[in-house]
């Protein structure tokens, strides 16, 4: 078995890495504390390690820095106190021998009347509190430990987020996510404040996901994920937001990490740029595991269908004074694969990775980079300016295969070709002023200038003709601005209001979007929040330039002047911190969608059902007359990691419907109606020699997808899949069920840490239906299934 050989290889590698040495029992925690609103350093903040045998702690210096030495190895909790500011508890900090813990955070100034005796606990004790304090509904934070801990997450932020309430993975082989029944195209990705293109390998221009993330979790800092009614600073999205932050490198000590897993061979380094400054760097590089084996001539059963990819993540931080710094950051990746139907095993069931009737050759490149200057320019004002550049390149062609009666390929002819290239120049200006403990104002401006060259055609080489779907070279700019005001009436009641505006010069469209949220804390443990947001999103650039021909063969761009798609979000949230480590959260939401592109002729097509594949939509003559509606209830019961175990139970009941130009109400492609995730884990300390073993499990069940029936007779006539469009998304499939199991071992040495894990995905090998299509070779309808049982080993060594 090819995978068995791979497992043997990884286990052998882990044995080589093991170093016989005594375990180190302590490590250092250090970092910086600032005012969360205006980013000024706080002097004299007390930080104490909770539960230590002897009192261990530190106080911040004149620049806000602290350093706590001799912290015991294992999971630790910090308590942070400062006069005039709300206390903060930071729990579940993983302290290992191989890496110092660098922990930077902000404190919120307390709103306290002179007559008050008690300061009410703040959401900073909420372990899911976001970086953005304006996000008080449908939002939570995550960090690198979250992406590593959950079974099946594979260190991927998107796959991790699929465990949260209201979120469904669109496809086992990709990390597209469906938020509250919305298309994955409604997602916004931000990196260090920049609006960025799809940050995934094999990430098509028409999607927001891909099989493998280019974001290396070794570089991630605490980041935010939002699913509805997001604050005014986020625009051009109708479904959700990933606001990704990259951490600074260690500016006092050089550290390294090497790891290998199914996703790739990785090596990372971080440290100070010089001994006499606080400047730092962090960089991580990865190359696909199967690509390495192929280069070495080692065969693992993938044949020519070997995915080759590599990526680089980096950040350089350069302090320019006590209250300002410059950072340079970026990521980039290349990916390619040859999907050869000519070498397919015709006895196997259909899969997710290609067609037995075609040879396909996709190639992708993505580059993202930026420079940021941030400074506390006045006593209570923080300024951040970011300039960025990003580019994408997507080239593909495919050949149709002609077989003889013995199923041997006797001829190939070109079937399709495409070449999509984009460049984006971005400028982001962001400022925040704290007038007092109760009031703060945030404003910002963003300009994204997009240059693009798009070409896509269907080729009928056997008939000596073709159809050009897109052929354009052009440019456009999206301007956005926002202002947000936060008013804290008291420690119990706070109001966030704001307005977002955007102007798209391609079709001269302008929109103003009000945002508002209100939160009331009954006591230190319960709160009730409401939120509303109006959100608009431009159409994908490939949709805007789909071309057709008039009766006189004149090329027409019938989609170019499509308006924004518009969404109204309404959210009600109840949050109950039952204890220090147990939380219950319930959210009810209603989302109304309008101005959705549909066809002029009566049909079931809607842009709400696109965005979960590699292929662009080539419908022309679209108009903004479609509608949609998402309504649902979500529950989350979470026990945060403490005393060696955790669990997370999320459930969602929802309904997602739409109307095309035929005005018939239908299920969307993403209306699975329910999802239940049950996750849990336990960690044991095996001895005093720094050895730990952990067990993590995930069980997921999702309502069956609605598929469109295949028109078998017409498919047989035309030799390709044809659907009964008037019955779109009417056939409900069986419910999805999958169980993942992750086993991990960690060993602490004197100045290094070894981690070994085995992620067993779909351990019961459940066959979950993904899609159906017509196979002209067999003249039958075939079913494509989601991922089968798949073991993913992993070895990581930090030193």
């Amino acid at each position: 078995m090819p995978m068995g050989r791979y497992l043997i290889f990884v286990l052998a590698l882990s044995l080589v890495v093991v170093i016989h040495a005594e375990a180190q029992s302590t490590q250092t925690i250090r970092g910086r504390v600032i005012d969360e609103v205006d980013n000024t350093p706080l002097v004299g903040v007390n930080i104490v390690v909770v539960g230590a045998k002897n009192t261990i702690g530190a106080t911040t210096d004149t620049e806000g820095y602290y350093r706590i030495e001799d912290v015991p190895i294992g999971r630790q909790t910090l308590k942070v106190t400062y006069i005039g500011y709300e206390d903060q508890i930071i729990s579940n900090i993983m302290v290992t021998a191989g890496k110092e813990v660098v922990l930077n955070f902000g404190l919120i100034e307390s709103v306290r009347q002179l007559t008050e005796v008690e300061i009410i606990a703040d959401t900073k004790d909420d372990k899911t509190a976001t970086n953005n304090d304006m996000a008080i509904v449908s939002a939570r934070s995550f960090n690198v430990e979250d992406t590593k801990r959950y079974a099946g997450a594979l260190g991927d932020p998107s796959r991790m987020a699929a465990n949260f309430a209201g979120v469904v993975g669109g496809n086992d082989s990709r990390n597209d996510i469906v938020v509250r029944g919305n298309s994955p195209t409604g997602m916004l990705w931000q990196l260090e404040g920049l609006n960025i293109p799809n940050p995934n390998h094999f990430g098509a221009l028409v999607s927001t996901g891909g099989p493998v993330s280019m974001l290396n979790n070794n570089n991630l800092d605490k980041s935010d994920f939002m699913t509805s009614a997001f604050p005014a600073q986020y625009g051009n999205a109708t479904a959700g937001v990933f606001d990704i932050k990259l951490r600074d490198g260690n500016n006092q000590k050089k550290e390294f990490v090497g790891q290998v897993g199914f996703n790739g061979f990785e090596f990372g380094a971080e440290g100070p740029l010089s001994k006499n400054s606080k400047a730092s760097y962090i960089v991580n590089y990865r190359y696909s595991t199967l690509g390495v084996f192929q280069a070495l001539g080692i065969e693992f059963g993938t044949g020519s269908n070997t995915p080759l990819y590599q990526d680089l993540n980096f950040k350089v931080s350069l302090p320019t004074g006590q209250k300002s710094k410059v950072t340079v950051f970026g990521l980039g990746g290349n990916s390619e694969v040859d999907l050869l139907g000519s070498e397919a095993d015709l006895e196997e069931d259909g899969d997710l990775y290609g067609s037995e009737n075609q040879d396909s050759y996709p190639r992708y490149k993505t580059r993202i980079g930026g420079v940021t200057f941030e400074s506390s320019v006045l006593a209570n004002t923080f300024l951040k300016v970011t300039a960025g550049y990003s580019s994408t390149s997507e080239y593909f062609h495919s050949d149709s295969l002609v077989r003889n009666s013995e199923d041997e390929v006797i001829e190939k002819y070109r079937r399709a070709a495409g070449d999509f290239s984009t460049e984006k120049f971005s400028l982001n200006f962001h400022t925040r002023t704290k007038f007092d403990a109760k009031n703060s104002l945030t404003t910002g401006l963003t300009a994204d200038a997009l240059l693009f060259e798009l070409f896509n055609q269907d080729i009928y080489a056997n008939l000596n003709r073709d159809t050009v779907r897109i052929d354009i070279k052009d440019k456009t700019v999206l301007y956005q601005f926002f202002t947000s005001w936060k008013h804290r009436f008291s420690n119990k009641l706070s109001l966030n209001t704001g307005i977002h505006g955007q102007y798209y010069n391609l079709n001269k469209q302008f929109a103003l979007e009000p945002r508002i949220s209100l939160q009331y804390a009954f006591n230190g443990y319960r709160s009730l929040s409401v939120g509303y947001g109006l959100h608009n999103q431009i159409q994908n650039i490939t949709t805007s330039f789909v071309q057709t021909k008039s009766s006189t063969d004149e090329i027409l761009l019938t989609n170019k002047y499509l308006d924004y798609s518009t969404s109204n979000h309404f959210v009600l949230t109840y949050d109950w911190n039952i204890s220090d480590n147990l939380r219950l959260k319930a959210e009810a939401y209603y989302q109304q969608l309008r101005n959705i592109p549909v066809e002029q002729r009566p049909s079931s097509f809607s842009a709400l059902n696109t965005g979960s594949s590699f292929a662009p939509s080539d419908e022309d003559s679209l108009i903004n007359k479609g509608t949609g509606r998402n309504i649902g209830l979500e529950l989350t019961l979470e026990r945060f990691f403490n005393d060696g175990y955790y669990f997370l139970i999320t459930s969602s009941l929802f309904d997602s419907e739409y109307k095309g130009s035929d005005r018939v109400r239908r299920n969307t492609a993403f209306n699975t109606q329910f999802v239940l995730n049950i996750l849990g884990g336990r960690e044991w300390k095996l001895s005093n020699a720094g050895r730990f073993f952990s067990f993590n499990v995930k069980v997921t069940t999702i309502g069956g997808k609605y598929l469109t029936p295949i028109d078998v007779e017409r498919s047989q006539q035309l030799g390709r899949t044809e659907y009964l469009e008037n019955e779109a998304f009417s056939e409900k499939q069986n419910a999805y069920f999958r169980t993942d199991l992750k086993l991990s071992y960690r060993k602490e040495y004197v100045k290094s840490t070894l981690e070994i894990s085995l992620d067993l995905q779909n351990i019961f090998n459940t066959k979950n239906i993904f899609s159906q299509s017509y196979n002209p070779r067999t003249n039958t309808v075939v079913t494509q299934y989601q991922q089968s049982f798949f073991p993913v080993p992993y070895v990581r060594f930090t030193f």
Side-chain angles (χ1 to χ4, degrees):
M1 178 182 175
M3 183 53 63
R5 281 182 281 171
Y6 176 65
L7 290 170
I8 292 172
F9 172 82
V10 175
L11 291 174
L13 179 62
S14 66
L15 293 176
V16 172
V17 172
V18 172
I19 301 172
H20 299 286
E22 294 298 321
Q24 176 176 315
S25 59
T26 63
Q27 182 56 276
T28 297
I29 298 179
R30 61 182 186 82
R32 196 183 197 199
V33 185
I34 59 175
D35 182 289
E36 186 170 81
V37 177
D38 61 26
N39 281 42
T40 55
L42 299 179
V43 183
V45 178
N46 293 311
I47 304 106
V48 177
V49 179
V50 178
K53 291 182 179 180
N54 300 314
T55 302
I56 305 174
T59 302
T60 57
D61 62 17
T62 56
E63 296 184 11
Y65 291 101
Y66 70 94
R67 182 181 182 90
I68 308 175
E69 298 182 342
D70 299 323
V71 180
I73 296 298
R75 299 181 186 272
Q76 302 295 344
T77 297
L78 297 183
K79 182 174 183 179
V80 185
T81 57
Y82 189 49
I83 296 175
Y85 282 73
E86 295 175 351
D87 294 353
Q88 185 172 157
I89 301 294
I90 306 173
S91 60
N92 194 32
I93 303 169
M94 174 65 80
V95 181
T96 65
K99 187 174 185 58
E100 286 187 345
V101 178
V102 180
L103 191 61
N104 304 314
F105 52 90
L107 296 181
I108 295 178
E109 189 172 359
S110 175
V111 178
R112 183 182 181 184
Q113 306 300 325
L114 293 177
T115 58
E116 289 182 332
V117 176
E118 179 186 10
I119 298 177
I120 303 299
D122 183 74
T123 55
K124 275 301 173 182
D125 286 343
D126 174 7
K127 299 169 182 63
T128 63
T130 55
N131 291 323
N132 190 329
D133 64 329
M134 295 284 186
I136 60 175
V137 296
S138 302
R140 67 172 290 159
S141 64
F142 65 92
N143 56 39
V144 62
E145 286 301 318
D146 295 326
T147 65
K148 290 168 55 179
R149 179 185 306 123
Y150 298 149
L154 300 177
D156 184 334
S158 294
R159 286 185 167 90
M160 174 216 62
N163 298 305
F164 299 154
V167 184
V168 180
N171 180 336
D172 283 355
S173 69
R174 294 166 55 92
N175 61 14
D176 308 83
I177 57 173
V178 175
V179 176
R180 294 179 171 175
N182 286 281
S183 164
T185 57
M187 289 295 303
L188 168 67
W189 283 95
Q190 281 198 349
L191 180 67
E192 294 290 318
L194 288 180
N195 300 322
I196 63 170
N198 188 340
N200 292 283
H201 287 296
F202 306 99
L205 183 61
V206 297
S207 69
T208 57
V212 181
S213 176
M214 287 191 299
L215 291 165
N216 193 306
N217 68 341
N218 291 311
N219 283 55
L220 292 183
D221 204 349
K222 180 183 176 184
S223 301
D224 292 345
F225 176 65
M226 290 160 260
T227 58
S228 185
F230 17 95
Q233 75 180 71
Y234 305 104
N236 195 35
T238 55
V241 176
F242 267 112
D243 187 352
I244 303 295
K245 304 298 183 185
L246 300 176
R247 67 181 181 89
D248 291 347
N250 192 324
N251 61 5
Q252 296 183 12
K253 177 183 177 183
K254 291 184 178 180
E255 296 175 331
F256 305 92
V257 59
Q259 65 186 55
V260 57
F262 195 81
N263 284 341
F265 281 83
E266 302 182 33
F267 181 77
E270 61 181 290
L273 287 178
S274 69
K275 296 181 178 180
N276 300 320
S277 76
K278 294 180 180 178
S280 67
Y281 69 90
I282 179 172
V283 59
N284 278 273
Y285 172 78
R286 173 174 58 183
Y287 193 88
S288 61
T289 303
L290 296 182
V292 172
F293 292 151
Q294 184 183 63
L296 296 174
I298 303 173
E299 175 58 50
F300 276 92
T302 58
S304 301
N305 297 353
T306 301
L308 305 176
Y309 53 86
Q310 57 183 319
D311 53 61
L312 180 74
N313 289 226
F314 72 90
K315 183 178 182 181
V316 178
S317 180
L318 306 167
T320 56
Q322 181 177 344
K323 297 182 178 181
S324 61
K325 71 174 181 177
V326 173
T327 58
V328 181
F329 62 90
L331 68 89
N334 299 345
S335 49
E336 62 180 79
V337 65
D338 295 342
L339 301 172
L340 303 182
S342 57
E343 298 185 7
D345 184 349
L346 302 183
E347 301 301 320
E348 294 290 328
D349 292 334
D351 60 49
L352 301 175
Y353 304 105
S355 167
E356 66 177 51
N357 300 306
Q358 286 187 351
D359 284 351
S360 300
Y361 306 87
R363 304 288 186 267
Y364 300 87
K365 293 181 181 179
T366 301
R367 306 287 185 267
I368 301 170
V371 179
T372 296
F373 171 75
E374 56 186 89
S375 177
S376 297
V377 291
L378 298 173
N380 295 310
T381 299
F382 173 74
L383 169 69
K384 183 177 180 180
V385 180
T386 305
Y389 169 82
S390 62
S391 67
T392 66
S393 174
E394 177 183 347
Y395 169 79
F396 60 90
H397 72 267
S398 61
D399 299 330
S400 287
L401 307 177
V402 179
R403 301 178 186 271
N404 61 19
S405 57
E406 283 77 34
D407 287 332
E408 298 172 336
V409 176
I410 59 174
E411 185 181 356
K412 298 181 182 182
Y413 58 88
R414 188 56 49 89
R415 180 64 183 85
D419 193 352
F420 297 159
S421 298
T422 70
E423 288 185 289
K424 183 163 66 175
F425 298 87
S426 302
L427 184 63
N428 181 287
F429 174 87
H430 177 103
T431 183
R432 188 167 190 181
T433 299
K434 183 174 77 171
F435 298 104
D436 52 41
K438 292 186 175 183
N439 296 281
S440 62
L441 184 70
T442 308
T443 58
L445 297 169
T446 299
D448 292 317
L450 182 68
L451 288 69
F452 52 91
E453 188 169 359
L454 314 174
F455 179 78
N456 187 30
Q457 68 177 156
D458 291 333
I459 304 169
Y460 310 96
N462 54 335
L463 301 177
N464 198 30
R465 67 181 179 88
D466 68 353
T467 300
V468 176
R469 303 293 184 183
I470 305 174
D471 187 8
I472 188 70
K473 182 177 181 180
D474 207 339
K475 58 185 177 181
T476 187
V477 183
L478 176 65
Y479 301 95
Q480 300 180 73
F481 68 89
F482 77 93
T483 184
S484 297
W485 173 53
K486 183 179 182 73
H487 177 69
R488 303 172 68 207
F489 297 95
S490 67
N491 281 351
K492 291 184 176 182
L493 183 63
S494 62
L495 172 70
N496 297 330
T497 61
I499 190 165
H500 178 274
Q502 60 188 46
Y503 175 78
Y504 191 37
N505 80 338
L506 179 68
N507 50 19
K508 308 298 186 290
Q509 297 292 336
F510 178 75
L512 280 177
E513 306 166 347
R515 316 282 176 86
I516 186 169
S517 59
L518 181 70
Q519 183 178 70
Y520 180 76
F522 300 103
N523 49 45
Y525 304 100
R526 305 185 191 204
S527 66
L528 185 68
S529 308
V530 293
Y532 166 76
L534 176 63
H535 306 271
N536 289 276
Q537 185 176 27
I538 63 176
Q539 308 307 325
N540 188 279
I541 198 69
T542 60
T543 299
S544 298
F545 287 95
V546 170
Q547 65 184 45
T548 186
K549 289 186 178 181
S550 67
S551 58
T552 59
D553 284 339
E554 179 186 1
I555 294 178
L556 303 175
L557 300 176
T558 55
N559 296 343
K560 183 175 180 179
Y561 296 102
L562 283 170
D563 203 344
Y564 300 118
S565 293
T566 303
S567 173
N568 283 281
H569 291 209
F570 303 86
V571 185
L572 175 65
T573 303
Y574 174 73
D575 218 328
W576 179 18
N577 289 313
I578 300 171
S579 68
D580 289 344
N581 297 296
L582 186 62
R583 179 197 193 198
L584 175 68
K585 182 178 181 179
E587 281 200 321
Y589 66 88
Y590 177 80
Q591 181 185 11
Q592 179 192 58
L593 296 123
R594 56 185 172 85
N595 294 341
I596 307 302
V598 295
E599 293 183 301
Q600 289 185 13
R601 65 178 180 86
S603 78
S604 61
F605 172 82
S606 171
L608 290 179
N609 298 313
T610 63
S612 61
S613 70
F614 299 95
S617 174
D618 56 13
E619 278 76 13
D620 58 70
S621 304
L622 300 179
I623 54 176
N624 290 101
K625 292 190 176 181
T627 60
R629 184 215 65 185
N630 297 315
I631 186 170
L633 176 66
E634 300 167 358
L635 292 173
T636 298
L637 180 63
E638 182 169 11
R639 187 191 191 278
F640 302 101
F641 198 104
N642 188 59
D643 293 331
Y645 75 98
Y646 76 94
F647 62 77
L648 172 65
I649 302 173
T650 63
S651 62
S652 303
L653 297 174
F654 67 97
D655 191 49
S656 178
E657 297 181 336
Y658 80 99
K659 288 183 180 180
S661 54
D662 60 5
R663 309 309 299 160
V664 176
R665 183 178 294 276
R666 293 184 171 87
N667 301 293
T668 69
F670 312 106
N671 189 21
T672 56
Q673 297 181 322
F674 76 86
V675 57
L676 173 65
N677 295 301
I678 302 175
L679 299 90
R682 183 76 167 88
E683 182 179 84
W684 292 271
K685 186 175 182 179
L686 301 181
S687 69
N688 292 326
R691 295 186 295 123
F692 300 84
F693 176 78
S694 62
F695 169 97
N696 297 274
V697 66
K698 172 187 174 183
V699 179
T700 297
T701 183
I702 304 171
K705 299 179 64 173
Y706 282 97
L707 300 182
T708 301
I710 293 175
D711 188 336
V712 178
E713 182 177 348
R714 184 166 173 78
S715 297
Q716 291 172 339
Q717 292 173 353
L718 298 178
R720 64 173 184 264
T721 306
E722 292 290 320
Y723 295 96
L724 295 170
E725 297 295 347
N726 61 334
E727 300 178 31
F729 309 111
S730 61
E731 288 191 349
K732 189 172 181 62
Q733 307 304 302
N734 294 331
Y736 173 104
F737 181 82
R738 171 172 155 174
T739 301
D740 297 337
L741 177 65
K742 184 177 182 180
L743 307 174
S744 301
Y745 171 81
R746 187 175 85 251
K747 170 65 175 173
E748 303 290 351
Y749 297 102
V750 175
K751 294 183 179 180
S752 59
T753 300
L754 172 67
E755 299 172 73
I756 305 172
S757 68
L758 181 61
D759 207 326
L760 303 171
Q761 300 186 356
N762 195 4
I763 59 175
F764 298 121
N765 201 28
T766 307
K767 298 189 74 171
N768 295 302
I769 294 175
F770 176 67
S771 65
Q772 293 179 330
S773 62
Y774 170 75
N775 188 331
R777 180 183 65 83
T778 61
N779 196 28
T780 60
V781 174
V782 296
T783 300
Q784 289 79 37
Y785 293 95
Q786 301 269 27
Q787 179 181 291
S788 58
F789 170 69
F790 194 64
V792 182
Y794 166 88
V795 176
R796 184 173 188 259
F797 189 61
T798 54
F799 56 100

